[in-house]
Amino acid sequence: MKATRSKTRYLILGLLTEGPLSGYEIKKVVDIRFSYFWSESYGQIYPELARLAQEGLAEEYSAEGESRKEKKRYQITDRGADALREWLQLPVEKEVVRFELLLKLFFSGQLPAQAVADHIKAFELAHKRQLELFRRFEQELQETRHPGDNHEEVLMVLLFGQKVGSAYVEWSQEVLKRLEEKAQA
Amino acid sequence: MKATRSKTRYLILGLLTEGPLSGYEIKKVVDIRFSYFWSESYGQIYPELARLAQEGLAEEYSAEGESRKEKKRYQITDRGADALREWLQLPVEKEVVRFELLLKLFFSGQLPAQAVADHIKAFELAHKRQLELFRRFEQELQETRHPGDNHEEVLMVLLFGQKVGSAYVEWSQEVLKRLEEKAQA
DNA sequence: CGGCGCATGTAACTTGTTACATGATTCC
DNA sequence: GGAATCATGTAACAAGTTACATGCGCCG
């Protein structure tokens, strides 16, 4: 059974439903907007765009007014939109996560207590910062919303980041407390 | 820069600190105990065990009393323990997560509301079940604890699963509520 | 005109999964 | 005796990252 087809193509098709984009722009959007739940590299994006074009799910787009060459934008085709919808309806595969931090915590008996605490603190700090970014992004969103966009969806995805991020931070604080108690015992 | 070395070897070394194990047993432990934050396949484990043995970080272990052949257990060497400790102290790399569910939610404008709700419900159910498993595992732990084991560490890792799992479930419920409101509007 | 950011792409590599081959042992 | 599970391993493939090559256009 070939369970997994790469999801890169559907990410691309999804983004193209909002308008034509180049490979470079796709990478930008993913890095900036999706960073907390997705990632893609150029090595994935460019070949996949070429495949999509070859299979007729996307096609090169030439702007009317703009004679800007050197920017190869693609737009989605009807067949591409069908393929996207089909995939959207398929059940979500079990997500595979790998938390190096938890591995290190699990085996931290081999280590001075301070070293583990440092790992946890770094994790806590990173996610506190991320929560701050979420907060700012949410405000930004409230100011620019207008009907017809996918605002509600964006907010629900954002809420995921916020809820999970908060759980990370709370957990960090609880664990740091326990590590301290343990050190004093 | 070659940032990432595979972490499989450190997982193995970590498990071997608690006693000799075979490849098959390692897979079992990871599947049962680590499933919510780690995964490994035989295709990773067996070759890595061979490499560890070749590099002198682990070695084949022959049980004294047991003449059970067909079971190739490995034990960690001093050099292996050093390598593990060294890795444990290195900063944790940024975890890469990919949530297909969020991708589908993000693009769900292309889809009937019911289809998205089904995805969320499946996610909610899966994590509710997982929380139930956590609860049972925690009880089991309380009954079998004794000094010298890595009980505190196990509990802290478990707490992560519980906190994050709860966040997943809460988020699901909030999103389902929003989807319903949206459908009625 | 030099450097930086924009932009496209690819080749080499690493990582990881899956499917298969093979055989022993256990339990019904 | 047949099914399930224990057990080890590998080969083929899929997925994904990184580093590099290349060149344009703009700004100071």
Side-chain angles (χ1 to χ4, degrees):
Chain A
M1 256 158 276
K2 35 152 83 190
T4 9
R5 283 280 296 124
S6 167
K7 287 141 201 167
T8 301
R9 59 167 40 205
Y10 302 109
L11 166 85
I12 293 177
L13 289 174
L15 291 178
L16 292 185
T17 57
E18 291 164 19
L21 289 170
S22 66
Y24 194 82
E25 290 168 328
I26 289 170
K27 173 87 163 99
K28 275 281 149 73
V29 173
V30 173
D31 283 352
I32 294 173
R33 302 299 233 221
F34 288 18
S35 61
Y36 61 99
F37 70 91
W38 206 264
S39 67
E40 292 293 348
S41 60
Y42 290 126
Q44 297 274 108
I45 293 170
Y46 283 116
E48 192 63 47
L49 273 172
R51 267 189 296 272
L52 287 172
Q54 214 195 338
E55 296 174 30
L57 306 185
E59 60 192 10
E60 263 187 72
Y61 162 87
S62 318
E64 276 108 89
E66 304 157 30
S67 60
R68 325 274 283 96
K69 284 301 126 196
E70 312 306 336
K71 192 157 213 170
K72 215 158 142 189
R73 287 217 178 81
Y74 292 82
Q75 62 187 339
I76 195 169
T77 64
D78 290 347
R79 299 221 298 109
D82 288 345
L84 173 63
R85 270 190 297 273
E86 205 178 300
W87 175 75
L88 284 174
Q89 283 180 266
L90 291 181
V92 174
E93 288 171 38
K94 171 122 189 55
E95 70 268 12
V96 186
V97 283
R98 286 181 137 199
F99 282 94
E100 185 191 338
L101 176 65
L102 296 188
L103 220 48
K104 286 187 168 164
L105 178 56
F106 193 96
F107 296 128
S108 62
Q110 312 297 313
L111 221 54
Q114 192 49 52
V116 206
D118 286 347
H119 292 331
I120 309 283
K121 278 177 194 160
F123 180 77
E124 184 195 8
L125 181 60
H127 285 288
K128 272 187 170 169
R129 285 196 175 133
Q130 182 66 66
L131 284 177
E132 178 56 26
L133 291 183
F134 287 150
R135 208 188 52 72
R136 276 198 267 166
F137 179 52
E138 194 183 354
Q139 276 193 328
E140 209 181 292
L141 271 179
Q142 309 289 10
E143 288 159 18
T144 60
R145 71 184 309 173
H146 40 75
D149 57 19
N150 66 341
H151 219 92
E152 279 93 350
E153 287 85 356
V154 175
L155 279 175
M156 290 187 281
V157 174
L158 182 59
L159 184 65
F160 183 94
Q162 291 172 320
K163 288 238 180 207
V164 174
S166 301
Y168 287 169
V169 171
E170 277 174 40
W171 172 78
S172 302
Q173 289 166 352
E174 172 66 25
V175 166
L176 286 170
K177 210 179 72 189
R178 290 194 195 182
L179 287 176
E180 254 177 67
E181 283 165 15
K182 212 180 153 193
Q184 279 166 1
Chain B
M1 256 158 277
K2 35 151 83 191
T4 10
R5 282 280 298 125
S6 168
K7 286 141 201 168
T8 300
R9 59 168 39 204
Y10 302 109
L11 167 85
I12 294 177
L13 289 175
L15 290 178
L16 292 186
T17 57
E18 291 164 21
L21 288 171
S22 68
Y24 194 82
E25 290 168 328
I26 289 169
K27 174 87 163 97
K28 275 281 149 72
V29 173
V30 173
D31 283 354
I32 293 174
R33 301 298 231 225
F34 289 18
S35 63
Y36 60 100
F37 71 89
W38 206 263
S39 68
E40 292 293 348
S41 60
Y42 290 126
Q44 297 273 110
I45 293 170
Y46 283 115
E48 191 63 48
L49 273 171
R51 266 191 297 272
L52 287 172
Q54 212 194 340
E55 296 174 29
L57 306 186
E59 59 193 11
E60 262 188 73
Y61 162 86
S62 319
E64 276 108 271
E66 305 157 29
S67 63
R68 325 276 282 95
K69 283 300 126 198
E70 311 307 337
K71 194 158 213 168
K72 216 158 142 189
R73 286 218 178 82
Y74 291 83
Q75 61 187 340
I76 195 168
T77 64
D78 289 347
R79 299 221 298 110
D82 288 344
L84 174 62
R85 269 191 297 273
E86 205 179 301
W87 175 76
L88 284 173
Q89 283 181 266
L90 291 181
V92 175
E93 288 172 38
K94 171 121 190 55
E95 70 267 13
V96 186
V97 284
R98 283 180 140 200
F99 282 96
E100 185 190 338
L101 176 65
L102 296 187
L103 220 48
K104 285 188 168 162
L105 177 56
F106 194 95
F107 297 128
S108 62
Q110 312 297 312
L111 223 53
Q114 192 48 52
V116 206
D118 287 346
H119 292 331
I120 310 282
K121 278 176 194 159
F123 180 79
E124 184 195 6
L125 181 60
H127 286 288
K128 272 187 171 168
R129 286 198 175 132
Q130 182 66 67
L131 284 177
E132 177 56 26
L133 291 182
F134 287 150
R135 208 189 52 73
R136 275 198 269 167
F137 179 51
E138 195 183 354
Q139 276 193 329
E140 208 180 294
L141 271 179
Q142 309 289 9
E143 288 158 19
T144 60
R145 72 184 309 175
H146 39 78
D149 58 18
N150 66 341
H151 218 92
E152 279 93 351
E153 286 85 356
V154 175
L155 279 175
M156 289 187 281
V157 172
L158 182 59
L159 184 66
F160 184 93
Q162 291 172 319
K163 288 239 180 206
V164 173
S166 300
Y168 286 169
V169 170
E170 276 174 40
W171 172 80
S172 302
Q173 289 166 352
E174 171 67 24
V175 165
L176 285 170
K177 212 179 70 188
R178 290 193 196 185
L179 287 175
E180 252 176 68
E181 284 165 14
K182 212 180 152 192
Q184 278 167 0

